[in-house]
Amino acid sequence: MTSTLRWGLIGASTIAREWMIGAIRSAGGDVVSVMSGDQERGAAYAEANRIPHATTSLDALLGEVDAVYISTTNELHYDQVLRSARAGRHVLCEKPLALTVGEAREMVDVCRAAGVVLGTNHHLRNAGTHRAMREAIAAGRIGCPLFARVFHAVCLPAHLQGWRLTNPGAGAGVVLDITVHDADTLRFVLADDPVEVTALTQSAGLSQGDVEDGAMGAIRFKSGLLAQFHDAFTTAHAKTGFEVHGTEGSLIGTDCMTQRAVGDVLLRTASGEELLPIDRTNLYERSVARFTAAVAGDGDPAATGEDGVWSLAVAEAALKSARTSRVITVDPVQSASPKVSQ
Ligand code: NDP
């Protein structure tokens, strides 16, 4: 491998254009090629984003790079991760890792067997707000955490109102899009794992068919902590937030379930209120920097493949709960796929 990491983009996506190409370059990486299903679109995307090559062939892209960033629609991640890993390429994959926990588990196993790094691009772990809350909890500043509340109901921007609202085959719906982020951020901030989930979903007219555009639910964690989540594509005027309430204090994060390095965290205890100092590093730049370090043998990606399996297991349990009106156990170890790894 050369000292500069050569990256290939699998998917000529909005998230790559808006955040990840810049983040890769800021971490010293070279974006050498982009793969699109459409040659003309891929070529235009490459030109607009100063990427030397565009291709419609995954094998051609894999031949040119050390690492791939996968940001195609969700149903494609599974096969693209397996093929990239088997070609010996390190993989940073978007969330949700796959459409089923069984597939995601297989992706982790195949990457491990191939000796390549697998990261999940759960950007919120990289937010200064969430890192400050995690540190405050670990330092005992709110005593024993009892409850968490995640406010992640947003207005889906018009330019993203495509497959997310209409195409179940591509992994549409607010639960696979947003609840996975809640689950990962809760696990990160609390340093705890979820045990069971109950949820209700809503289709308020923005999405089509059976696709949900809103969800509310509750998660029980191993420690006994209860977390509630509220996710939506349909609320234009709600602010996001993330709160943890403990025996000795409360952490109130506002405007922090977002892509930008913004938001504040208030710590309230018997001694009064204080705003925690927040590092404003770009979330995606930190994600790529951690991944790049992991490839060089220094630590793990901010969110590993295993973390991506956990967040998907919560989302899967939430969707099952909404379908069956039952409380569902979170099961990240299932291997539901009948396919045999090669
Ligand atoms: P996009 O809809 O922008 O891109 C997904 C695919 O759609 C692309 O790979 C591309 O196919 C095709 N596409 C994109 N734009 C056009 C267009 N104008 N005309 C025709 N086809 C188009 O998806 P997002 O960037 O919103 O999401 C991609 C992935 O990233 C998803 O897995 C999503 O969950 C995740 N994501 C993660 C975020 C995070 O913060 N971690 C934030 C946003 C998304 P092709 O490659 O074949 O050209």
Side-chain angles (χ1 to χ4, degrees):
M1 196 179 75
T2 52
S3 56
T4 299
L5 205 59
R6 293 170 304 157
W7 285 82
L9 306 183
I10 300 180
S13 69
T14 308
I15 179 73
R17 177 171 51 78
E18 290 184 345
W19 293 99
M20 292 298 288
I21 293 171
I24 289 169
R25 288 175 176 152
S26 87
D30 208 358
V31 182
V32 299
S33 190
V34 56
M35 192 202 92
S36 165
D38 181 299
Q39 180 65 45
E40 213 170 303
R41 222 182 73 73
Y45 188 96
E47 189 180 352
N49 294 288
R50 297 179 290 111
I51 301 169
H53 301 125
T55 178
T56 55
S57 159
L58 182 55
D59 289 334
L61 177 124
L62 293 173
E64 295 187 87
V65 301
D66 308 306
V68 295
Y69 166 60
I70 298 179
S71 62
T72 46
T73 48
N74 304 325
E75 84 285 13
L76 300 175
H77 298 174
Y78 167 73
D79 184 55
Q80 291 168 341
V81 168
L82 295 195
R83 288 178 62 188
S84 302
R86 287 174 179 146
R89 306 300 173 243
H90 302 287
V91 182
L92 180 56
C93 184
E94 271 305 341
K95 45 47 67 171
L97 270 191
L99 296 187
T100 68
V101 174
E103 286 178 348
R105 171 61 54 210
E106 190 180 342
M107 290 152 79
V108 169
D109 291 346
V110 168
C111 287
R112 187 174 295 130
V116 300
V117 173
L118 172 61
T120 309
N121 201 32
H122 275 306
H123 62 296
L124 290 167
R125 280 177 178 244
N126 295 289
T129 45
H130 297 297
R131 288 186 283 129
M133 285 191 272
R134 176 181 162 98
E135 282 164 22
I137 290 169
R141 299 194 71 186
I142 63 165
C144 175
L146 299 175
F147 298 101
R149 303 196 285 211
V150 186
F151 309 96
H152 206 165
V154 298
C155 176
L156 186 66
H159 70 288
L160 298 181
Q161 291 185 15
W163 56 270
R164 274 182 182 76
L165 299 174
T166 59
N167 187 355
V174 77
V175 172
L176 284 176
D177 202 52
I178 295 186
T179 310
V180 286
H181 281 312
D182 302 348
D184 185 68
T185 311
L186 284 162
R187 286 186 64 242
F188 174 74
V189 170
L190 300 168
D192 198 356
D193 285 326
V195 175
E196 57 183 7
V197 179
T198 180
L200 296 170
T201 56
Q202 180 185 73
S203 299
L206 184 64
S207 59
Q208 290 173 20
D210 286 340
V211 176
E212 82 288 350
D213 52 28
M216 278 186 160
I219 307 171
R220 187 190 305 280
F221 280 75
K222 281 184 183 150
S223 64
L225 176 140
L226 296 180
Q228 71 178 41
F229 60 89
H230 175 201
D231 302 327
F233 289 149
T234 48
T235 54
H237 308 289
K239 224 175 181 175
T240 69
F242 188 106
E243 300 178 357
V244 187
H245 303 279
T247 51
E248 309 297 328
S250 288
L251 288 161
I252 320 280
T254 44
D255 200 16
C256 56
M257 303 303 284
T258 169
Q259 297 180 298
R260 291 168 300 119
V262 297
D264 289 305
V265 179
L266 181 79
L267 171 65
R268 185 182 299 139
T269 65
S271 323
E273 294 186 341
E274 72 178 273
L275 279 173
L276 299 185
I278 304 295
D279 171 21
R280 301 293 179 188
T281 301
N282 178 298
L283 284 59
Y284 296 95
E285 290 180 7
R286 190 172 182 279
S287 173
V288 176
R290 285 283 304 267
F291 181 88
T292 304
V295 167
D298 177 10
D300 290 320
T304 61
E306 193 65 33
D307 294 318
V309 176
W310 271 99
S311 62
L312 180 57
V314 172
E316 207 172 80
L319 288 169
K320 191 168 176 192
S321 173
R323 250 190 344 263
T324 60
S325 301
R326 287 171 33 223
V327 177
I328 303 296
T329 300
V330 176
D331 180 6
V333 294
Q334 63 185 278
S335 117
S337 171
K339 297 180 204 85
V340 178
S341 313
Q342 291 160 15

